[in-house]
Amino acid sequence: MRVYVPLTLSGLAEAYKTGELGAGPLLAYAVTPGLREWYLSDDIEELEYAALNRAGLASLRLLAADTGAARRRVVVAVDVADGAAAADPDRALDPAALGEVRVAGPVRLAKAAAVHVDSDDAVEDVTAAVDALEAADAGDDDAQFVVDGAEDHELLWYATQEIPNLVGLGG
């Protein structure tokens, strides 16, 4: 099963250093029954893109909690065993939890299929989105528009071999 793990660049650097995205349970996003029902689609690529975007939003929240992190969303696509990730049935149709899963146990970075990161030109909009999150959560439509603006930037695809360059450890 493919899951999308939200991180920050500093979190990715730590994962590269330790070889592990986390010991678990780890928050991730995947194509869940609730996500399928919400998006009313049978196209797996479209649904995986939706799960990736949900992880991108979660990455914004991680950035809000880490004021020192570079203002670029990071999502790691990882393949885990089918039984390793589970959605909370009590939150399955909660719009805030669409696609949300918990991965039990450690998640090795070696299982990553790819890394998705904002380009440098997204930093201004991502920074604005992080600053607007709290107001958007409180129902401010203008703030929600700013948060949604971060999604106007596609997360770029990187091979796992490019992680050292992404986190500033490449030569």
Side-chain angles (χ1 to χ4, degrees), residues 79-104:
D79 294 316
V80 299
D82 285 342
D88 181 347
D90 294 333
R91 293 178 42 108
L93 293 177
D94 177 354
L98 286 175
E100 187 179 284
V101 295
R102 299 280 176 193
V103 181

Side-chain angles (χ1 to χ4, degrees), residues 28-160:
Y29 292 81
V31 177
T32 61
L35 188 79
R36 283 182 189 275
E37 187 172 329
W38 185 266
Y39 282 93
L40 300 172
S41 176
D42 290 328
D43 182 341
I44 191 64
E45 287 184 19
E46 192 175 300
L47 291 166
E48 285 188 352
Y49 183 73
L52 171 66
N53 283 333
R54 301 293 298 170
L57 178 59
S59 179
L60 278 179
R61 294 188 181 288
L62 293 174
L63 291 171
D66 184 357
T67 57
R71 293 318 199 213
R72 293 169 68 188
R73 297 170 298 162
V74 177
V75 176
V76 180
V78 184
D79 294 316
V80 299
D82 285 342
D88 181 347
D90 294 333
R91 293 178 42 108
L93 293 177
D94 177 354
L98 286 175
E100 187 179 284
V101 295
R102 299 280 176 193
V103 181
V107 178
R108 305 278 310 148
L109 186 58
K111 297 288 186 182
V115 179
H116 302 272
V117 181
D118 275 314
S119 65
D120 288 336
D121 69 345
V123 170
E124 185 177 328
D125 287 338
V126 169
T127 300
V130 168
D131 293 342
L133 267 175
E134 190 174 332
D137 288 346
D140 183 321
D141 290 337
D142 292 334
Q144 186 62 53
F145 182 78
V146 172
V147 171
D148 292 343
E151 288 185 21
D152 290 343
H153 296 276
E154 295 288 328
L155 290 167
L156 302 178
W157 182 95
Y158 292 92
T160 56

